[in-house]
Amino acid sequence: MNPMAFIWLVYAAWILLIVYLTVSAFGAKRDTEEHMPQRLGLMVAMIAAFLLPRLSIFRFVNFAPVNAVLSSIGVVVTVAGMAFLVWARQSLGGNWSQIVSSKQGHELVTSGPYRFVRHPMYTGGLVACIGSAIVVGGGFVFLLILLGAIFLWRVGAEDRLLARQFPEEFPDYARRTKALIPFVW
């Protein structure tokens, strides 16, 4: 298979994921307050991730395409991460939010992938970024780094929000379920 085909597969998968997340957002419950800085921060991070590899100092991350075996593994990892993310999004239903925010009629979801980790959408997104970085390099390397930092901040922020909203249920759920990596952290 042509190495460029793997790159196009990864980009096509991301486009499909973005379309899915955009369309599925229409059924989400309303946020109780607006958080424009969070939305802008996420957008700036994604734009920066794909502009940074264009700077000569960071050209070393533009290592793709690699061999077909490694690219195949990267595509499988990308799709697996996205599948986990979509499963988590489906499990959340109307409780999903693009930002860290309380929802009207918010419910604590502990089923589906939330049985294994408290933040499976972040887990899936990071795994998809790792697979994409293997295949494409460049912007996905920086996306992994920047989203990783944002997701780590959001894990803490979401845990604090859920602890306030669900003072009876969340502490027990947090004790029995790891944040991002099953059985580890």
Side-chain angles (χ1 to χ4, degrees):
M1 183 178 226
N2 180 345
M4 288 304 293
F6 293 106
I7 292 173
W8 286 109
L9 281 171
V10 166
Y11 279 115
W14 279 99
I15 290 168
L16 288 173
L17 179 65
I18 291 166
V19 168
Y20 164 75
L21 290 173
T22 301
V23 170
S24 68
F26 291 114
K29 298 174 184 175
R30 295 179 57 85
D31 293 330
T32 57
E33 56 188 86
E34 183 58 40
H35 294 280
M36 190 55 74
Q38 283 185 50
R39 292 182 199 279
L40 290 174
L42 190 58
M43 185 173 38
V44 167
M46 289 190 287
I47 292 168
F50 287 93
L51 290 179
L52 287 171
R54 307 246 184 268
L55 299 175
S56 60
I57 190 169
F58 294 125
R59 289 246 164 89
F60 67 92
V61 300
N62 295 320
F63 51 79
V66 293
N67 68 55
V69 172
L70 194 55
S71 291
S72 296
I73 292 168
V75 168
V76 169
V77 170
T78 298
V79 172
M82 289 179 178
F84 196 67
L85 188 153
V86 168
W87 182 29
R89 173 62 188 90
Q90 288 291 313
S91 297
L92 272 180
N95 294 295
W96 177 76
S97 181
Q98 179 188 3
I99 58 173
V100 179
S101 175
S102 176
K103 305 297 269 180
Q104 295 174 352
H106 205 152
E107 301 164 281
L108 180 63
V109 176
T110 60
S111 60
Y114 291 88
R115 291 183 309 239
F116 308 111
V117 289
R118 293 191 307 274
H119 306 281
M121 289 186 71
Y122 300 153
T123 300
L126 291 171
V127 169
C129 281
I130 290 168
S132 300
I134 290 169
V135 177
V136 180
F140 286 104
V141 172
F142 285 106
L143 191 62
L144 176 62
I145 293 166
L146 294 172
L147 284 184
I150 290 169
F151 288 173
L152 287 176
W153 170 80
R154 287 178 72 148
V155 162
E158 285 183 14
D159 281 354
R160 287 187 298 277
L161 175 72
L162 293 171
R164 281 192 310 274
Q165 277 195 284
F166 305 102
E168 301 296 320
E169 305 106 308
F170 185 76
D172 182 52
Y173 173 62
R175 271 191 297 280
R176 71 176 190 271
T177 312
K178 300 297 182 186
L180 285 174
I181 305 169
F183 312 110
V184 179
W185 181 78

